[in-house]
Amino acid sequence: MSHTLYEANAQRVQRCELAVPGSSPEMFEKALKSGVDFVFLDLEDAVAPDDKLQARKNVIQAINDLDWKGHGITLSVRINGLDTQYMVRDVVDLVEQAGAKIDTVLIPKVGVYGDVYMVDAMLTQLEMQEGLKNKIGIECLIETALGMANVEDIAKQGAIGGRVEALHFGVADYAASNRARTVNIGGLNPDYPGDQWHAAISRMTVACRAYGLRPIDGPFGDIKDPEGYKAGARRAAALGCEGKWAIHPSQIALANEVFTPPAAEVEKAKRILEALREAAAQGKGAAALDGRLIDAASERMANNIVRAAEAIAAKTQ
């Protein structure tokens, strides 16, 4: 292993993140009781321009009035883009009026690390101004060609800055930015031989894993196609993603199913660790289990499974 290692800025269970429009307060209570790991209250794409100011008020009220932590939910807010007139007041009003109850801020359409630095600097100043004891995390949406071209620098500088926790793949805007031909948000184009999002998700995931961030897959648009959702989630999980968005409560259980390690997988991982401990006690660096060689790489993979299962179990107790 290299002597250069980047530890995670924050550890959170994020199997599923439910998107909730800030302009639809009737959905807030349902999100609160949904059992999802993460909720982001949306001030950006899901809110029409004429509703932006009221949506911000709705979100601030919901943050203060509802017991998100008591329901085991990590709470995020997707602010408006840096290229809009809404972003500054989003950040200022959120932190001044509800900062103590916000876990993370989700920045849309991050193109360069400078976008992140601006929000980070604002959060730092506002936290000092308000005397907040909590440090609000940052999550970044990688959903443009520019953002993907700079994803390694965004991840690295974000990790060094100490506030960035996760990168999300925003498939819809990414497709638009690349002028890709799509048939469904997050779905596959039958003219492409395989998964057209594979390379992008893999690149983002590698950047996350190199610098201690969580990689999260974005939305799947067809809420009437649960099998399509699960297939996309399984492909993302195979590449190393920790979770996936839900744009409807019906998708939460689907994501939790995919991103929760199965009991049989956890049990096998524990057997691998035990077999390697026994081998180490005998001075051996490798062992055989069920007719297959296991070694230090097997140990690292097994530890990943066991730790994920333990974190989920601790959260759901």
Side-chain angles (χ1 to χ4, degrees):
M1 296 289 285
S2 171
H3 286 291
T4 301
L5 296 173
Y6 293 82
E7 298 296 331
N9 288 328
Q11 298 281 0
R12 305 185 197 269
V13 175
Q14 197 168 2
R15 294 169 297 174
C16 186
E17 181 150 0
L18 179 64
V20 183
S23 54
S24 301
E26 69 277 5
M27 295 183 179
F28 296 164
E29 193 82 31
K30 295 177 182 177
L32 183 74
K33 298 176 180 178
S34 66
V36 74
D37 295 332
F38 250 79
V39 165
F40 80 80
L41 303 177
D42 194 9
L43 299 177
E44 197 221 10
D45 278 358
V47 179
D50 289 346
D51 296 331
K52 294 285 188 183
L53 302 185
Q54 184 59 50
R56 187 190 299 145
K57 295 177 183 178
N58 296 342
V59 165
I60 291 170
Q61 183 176 352
I63 294 169
N64 287 320
D65 290 354
L66 300 178
D67 185 13
W68 301 96
K69 277 189 170 50
H71 286 77
I73 290 175
T74 301
L75 186 62
S76 183
V77 180
R78 178 162 69 167
I79 60 174
N80 284 286
L82 273 69
D83 58 337
T84 72
Q85 70 269 37
Y86 306 109
M87 186 279 292
V88 170
R89 291 304 329 170
D90 284 348
V91 177
V92 172
D93 288 359
L94 284 165
V95 179
E96 287 187 342
Q97 298 178 42
K101 296 184 177 182
I102 297 171
D103 294 303
T104 72
V105 166
L106 179 60
I107 309 174
K109 300 176 181 65
V110 172
V112 296
Y113 176 68
D115 299 338
V116 183
Y117 181 83
M118 179 178 182
V119 177
D120 191 342
M122 290 182 67
L123 289 173
T124 299
Q125 294 175 20
L126 287 161
E127 287 169 352
M128 293 172 62
Q129 171 190 295
E130 297 301 309
L132 297 182
K133 296 180 180 179
N134 59 304
K135 185 174 184 178
I136 299 170
I138 288 177
E139 301 179 81
C140 304
L141 259 168
I142 305 301
E143 51 184 340
T144 64
L146 181 63
M148 192 60 70
N150 291 302
V151 69
E152 291 84 8
D153 187 60
I154 292 166
K156 181 178 182 179
Q157 298 303 324
I160 292 171
R163 198 183 287 271
V164 175
E165 299 184 9
L167 303 183
H168 297 234
F169 180 57
V171 64
D173 280 300
Y174 185 76
S177 177
N178 282 280
R179 301 184 185 181
R181 295 182 177 180
T182 60
V183 293
N184 169 38
I185 293 174
L188 303 181
N189 188 323
D191 292 332
Y192 188 87
D195 183 351
Q196 72 209 78
W197 315 121
H198 175 108
I201 296 174
S202 182
R203 181 175 180 180
M204 185 195 78
T205 299
V206 170
C208 285
R209 295 309 183 191
Y211 299 111
L213 309 181
R214 298 185 302 274
I216 305 297
D217 191 21
F220 183 82
D222 189 351
I223 62 174
K224 296 181 180 180
D225 182 11
E227 291 306 316
Y229 180 95
K230 286 201 293 185
R234 285 193 292 264
R235 290 192 298 270
L239 292 171
C241 285
E242 292 191 20
K244 185 172 177 59
W245 286 19
I247 61 170
H248 188 273
S250 64
Q251 295 178 331
I252 296 171
L254 306 177
N256 287 350
E257 176 187 338
V258 171
F259 291 100
T260 300
E265 190 174 308
V266 176
E267 180 59 31
K268 183 176 181 180
K270 290 179 178 179
R271 290 177 59 220
I272 289 171
L273 296 176
E274 179 60 29
L276 287 171
R277 279 192 291 267
E278 292 175 358
Q282 300 170 19
K284 300 177 182 178
L289 182 68
D290 299 335
R292 296 185 179 185
L293 178 71
I294 55 174
D295 57 11
S298 307
E299 181 180 23
R300 286 190 287 271
M301 291 186 288
N303 272 320
N304 288 339
I305 294 168
V306 172
R307 287 169 185 159
E310 289 175 346
I312 293 166
K315 180 184 182 301
T316 55
Q317 282 178 351

